[in-house]
Amino acid sequence: MKLVIFGPPSAGKGTQAQKLAQRYGIPQVATGDLLRKAVAEKTPLGLKVKEYLDKGKLGPDDLIVKVISERVSKPDCKKGYILDGFPRTMGQAKALDKMTEVDLVMNIVVDLDELVERAVGRRTCLKCGAVYHVKFNPPMNEGICENCGLKLIQRDDDKEDTVRNRLKVYHEQTAPLIEYYRQKGKLVDIVGGGGIEVVFAQMVKAISQIKQRASPGHGGL
Ligand code: AP5
């Protein structure tokens, strides 16, 4: 099963991708997490992309496509994966078409003001990638990751100015992909304004519908 979680910055892609990964036993492949890890470890990739992340701009397509194609060719992706934050440009979408056929693109739709509030209040664990929110999804112990016990951080690109820039970049370069996948019959809209569990339930329903359509006799997923 190959899923794409699509949506603007802070729509809840990472939150839902982690829950889906747990439920379906396939890995979350999050470009943002892979790039932030590379930056933190100061790898050659990290040095190349740091400036893009800091400014809330998209990294170059060739670099990002290479990162993703290497990641999805690892053994844990054999049964499928959940792409979170990829593709984000038409060039990336075309590259993905060459790599594989995705089963479903879930487009999370959230109001602009809520997106900004979600980003500014987000707290992240740099070790395990768990995502919390000071108001909407606080950890049991304030500021501490429930999985690792480490101190949570606020991402550098979650400052309000950078968030607004990321939203602008999303509308210019990423939003056109909605129509691309809709025309292919792959896209389902998910109402992202409800609570985390309400959004999750919509996704599980959409996935069970495509699983039913592809049930034995039709090839299966
Ligand atoms: P990336 O890390 O992918 O950032 P993003 O797309 O901006 O997405 P976010 O991580 O901000 O949000 P999310 O949708 O995952 O929301 P989350 O679940 O955390 O990318 C960062 C940067 O990397 C980019 O700016 C770019 O520079 C580069 N990059 C990445 N991919 C690239 C690509 N393909 N090409 C080029 N460059 C690329 O939730 C947000 C908050 O809301 C959390 O606090 C959460 O607890 C809360 N929340 C979640 N769901 C709900 C809900 N239903 N109700 C209330 N609160 C909620």
Side-chain angles (χ1 to χ4, degrees), residues 8-15 31-32 35-36 52-53 56-59 64 85-86 88 92 118 122 131-133 136-137 155 157 166 192 194-196 199:
S10 311
K13 300 183 293 297
T15 301
T31 26
L35 299 179
R36 275 186 292 280
Y52 294 96
L53 266 82
K57 287 183 178 173
L58 296 183
I64 306 290
F86 180 90
R88 265 175 142 118
Q92 293 177 16
R118 284 186 187 184
R122 170 173 36 204
V131 176
Y132 303 88
H133 191 280
F136 303 129
N137 184 25
R155 274 169 41 182
D157 62 350
R166 282 161 55 205
I196 291 169
V199 176

Side-chain angles (χ1 to χ4, degrees), residues 109-210:
V109 183
V110 182
D111 286 347
L112 180 70
D113 286 346
E114 184 155 355
L115 289 173
V116 176
E117 190 182 5
R118 284 186 187 184
V120 173
R122 170 173 36 204
R123 297 294 179 269
T124 308
C125 176
L126 263 189
K127 187 169 179 216
C128 73
V131 176
Y132 303 88
H133 191 280
V134 289
K135 182 166 146 198
F136 303 129
N137 184 25
M140 271 181 304
N141 295 314
E142 197 186 321
I144 304 293
C145 178
E146 289 173 14
N147 303 327
C148 316
L150 286 190
K151 201 162 174 247
L152 299 171
I153 56 125
Q154 182 178 31
R155 274 169 41 182
D156 287 341
D157 62 350
D158 276 344
K159 309 274 151 51
E160 188 163 340
D161 279 358
T162 317
V163 171
R164 292 202 182 271
N165 191 44
R166 282 161 55 205
L167 285 163
K168 188 168 164 274
V169 168
Y170 168 81
H171 285 293
E172 288 168 0
Q173 297 188 51
T174 307
L177 299 190
I178 295 173
E179 228 18 69
Y180 180 72
Y181 284 112
R182 206 185 294 286
Q183 279 182 10
K184 282 175 174 275
K186 297 276 181 194
L187 189 117
V188 59
D189 287 318
I190 301 288
V191 181
I196 291 169
E197 294 305 327
V198 177
V199 176
F200 184 59
Q202 292 175 65
M203 292 193 170
V204 170
K205 189 169 169 203
I207 292 167
S208 71
Q209 281 168 350
I210 61 148

Side-chain angles (χ1 to χ4, degrees), residues 3 5 13-15 17 28-33 82-86 88:
L3 305 172
I5 314 274
K13 300 183 293 297
T15 301
Q28 170 198 18
V29 175
T31 26
D33 290 349
I82 303 160
L83 294 173
D84 159 10
F86 180 90
R88 265 175 142 118

